[in-house]
Amino acid sequence: MRAARLIKMVLLLQSRPSMTAAELARELEVSERTVTRDAQALSEAGVPVYADRGRAGGYRLVGGYRTRLTGLARSEAEALFLSGVPGALREMGLEDAGSAARLKVTAALLPSLSDASRTAAQRFHLDAPAWFREPETPALLSAVAEAVWDDRCLKARYRRGEDEVERALEPYGLVLKAGAWYLCARVPEADAFRTYRVDRFTAVDATDTRFVRDEEFDLPGFWAERAEAFARSILRAQIVVRLSPEGVRRLAYTVDPLAAREALGDAGEPDADGWVTAMVPVESEEVAHSQLTALGAEAEVLAPETLRERFARDAARLAGLYRRPDAR
């Protein structure tokens, strides 16, 4: 366990000019005291780890030291072949580069690991698009991807409702979500980061100007924050429901997962029959009716009264339908 951690510490220092004890502790998931002990152990083993003192200090490798620890375990080699998404690479115009990289890695592996690509492919496959939709590659995706990789400013036209707007963008990163591509970009005019669906671009033109990337920008963190903000923005109404134990279990598969988490997190204790009362954020009464219909008798709407009456009418119609002798 410690040996693997020491190797990871060397590789981390090899990839950056220097790292603070706090940064290393966070990456290695240990305390700063453990980082200090590990650095001393590496130094005693002949690895030139140097500690810079002071507020701006940290750890670094002296003299361009490079480790000879180039061997890969089988699990590491298999994980490496899982790190690429062939469909996404193809859509971005990087299929040839990805294929060449896989061939080079395969050629560099030990003979005992030469089948890592095959064993990984046998055990994992990513199918990103959602069900019941034919995935379409946005016509301008490869041009946008090229600008992202090259840090080139874009002039872009974008459909917003019935109108088209023109924007100067600094394209920071691409996200593939349920088969749809999104560009996360900085808008210099507004000094803000925004998100655009790539299939809504009608024109993109990469300029000769390269932008200076903000190294603090965290694409996964930015996307997670925006995705949650979007989910919250559409949950504009609230309903009150009683849920059976089965209804509680199935709620997250029926309404928005964020709404289900908040509703069940704030719900009271179960009553004598095991039912709980929860306040559920929803997009609208219409959407709530469609979603909660899937729960059937495992949910009872208490408010608003208009939605409760709607379910009562549904129940009456169903009861009448199934009482008819010619219902079959």
Side-chain angles (χ1 to χ4, degrees):
M1 180 71 177
R2 191 191 185 199
R5 191 176 70 241
L6 291 174
I7 292 172
K8 185 176 180 180
M9 184 174 179
V10 173
L11 294 175
L12 284 169
L13 292 174
Q14 220 174 252
S15 65
R16 308 179 194 180
S18 69
M19 295 182 70
T20 66
E23 289 171 338
L24 284 167
R26 186 164 56 251
E27 292 279 357
L28 299 172
E29 298 181 348
V30 296
S31 67
E32 293 186 31
R33 183 173 296 180
T34 298
V35 168
T36 300
R37 288 198 297 265
D38 285 353
Q40 183 176 352
L42 286 171
S43 181
E44 291 172 356
V47 178
V49 178
Y50 182 79
D52 292 311
R53 305 298 178 184
R55 292 182 60 185
Y59 293 92
R60 59 185 174 87
L61 294 175
V62 178
Y65 175 86
R66 307 294 294 180
T67 178
R68 293 185 176 86
L69 298 171
T70 55
L72 288 176
R74 170 165 291 276
S75 61
E76 294 170 332
E78 290 174 339
L80 183 62
F81 282 106
L82 290 179
S83 63
V85 185
L89 292 175
R90 182 175 60 254
E91 292 184 7
M92 288 190 293
L94 297 172
E95 184 176 22
D96 290 343
S99 177
R102 286 192 294 273
L103 286 173
K104 289 178 181 179
V105 171
T106 300
L109 291 175
L110 294 172
S112 61
L113 300 179
S114 60
D115 65 339
S117 175
R118 179 179 58 82
T119 57
Q122 286 175 333
R123 289 162 175 79
F124 181 81
H125 172 68
L126 176 64
D127 184 10
W131 286 103
F132 312 120
R133 58 175 292 181
E134 192 68 30
E136 293 184 3
T137 303
L140 298 173
L141 176 61
S142 60
V144 173
E146 187 174 343
V148 169
W149 284 112
D150 210 21
D151 291 345
R152 288 193 180 274
C153 296
L154 281 177
K155 289 182 179 179
R157 292 190 65 81
Y158 183 81
R159 288 196 312 273
R160 191 170 62 185
E162 299 297 322
D163 302 320
E164 282 193 5
V165 296
E166 188 170 306
R167 290 282 183 271
L169 302 174
E170 295 176 354
Y172 267 68
L174 285 162
V175 175
L176 177 60
K177 170 70 172 178
W181 285 94
Y182 296 85
L183 173 68
C184 301
R186 179 178 173 271
V187 183
E189 181 182 358
D191 191 22
F193 285 93
R194 294 176 181 167
T195 304
Y196 300 87
R197 273 190 65 134
V198 176
D199 59 7
R200 292 181 184 164
F201 284 117
T202 58
V204 293
D205 179 27
T207 70
D208 293 331
T209 304
R210 284 187 169 89
F211 64 92
V212 178
R213 183 175 287 268
D214 180 357
E215 295 301 330
E216 298 297 318
F217 178 77
D218 173 22
L219 180 60
F222 172 79
W223 176 258
E225 181 183 307
R226 289 304 172 93
E228 182 170 333
F230 172 74
R232 290 183 184 279
S233 71
I234 65 174
L235 300 175
R236 301 185 182 92
Q238 286 188 327
I239 62 171
V240 181
V241 295
R242 285 182 70 237
L243 298 164
S244 70
E246 178 64 11
V248 169
R249 188 187 71 81
R250 288 165 50 188
L251 186 66
Y253 304 99
T254 307
V255 302
D256 182 89
L258 174 64
R261 286 198 305 271
E262 292 189 355
L264 297 179
D266 295 335
E269 294 296 320
D271 61 19
D273 298 320
W275 288 55
V276 300
T277 299
M279 185 174 292
V280 185
V282 295
E283 185 175 345
S284 66
E285 189 172 310
E286 183 72 27
V287 172
H289 175 260
S290 174
Q291 292 173 332
L292 294 182
T293 296
L295 291 180
E298 306 302 331
E300 176 192 3
V301 174
L302 302 180
E305 187 63 29
T306 51
L307 184 58
R308 180 178 175 85
E309 291 173 353
R310 191 167 182 174
F311 275 102
R313 290 194 299 271
D314 289 349
R317 289 179 61 196
L318 283 170
L321 177 65
Y322 284 98
R323 276 199 299 265
R324 284 167 39 197
D326 61 341
R328 288 182 296 174

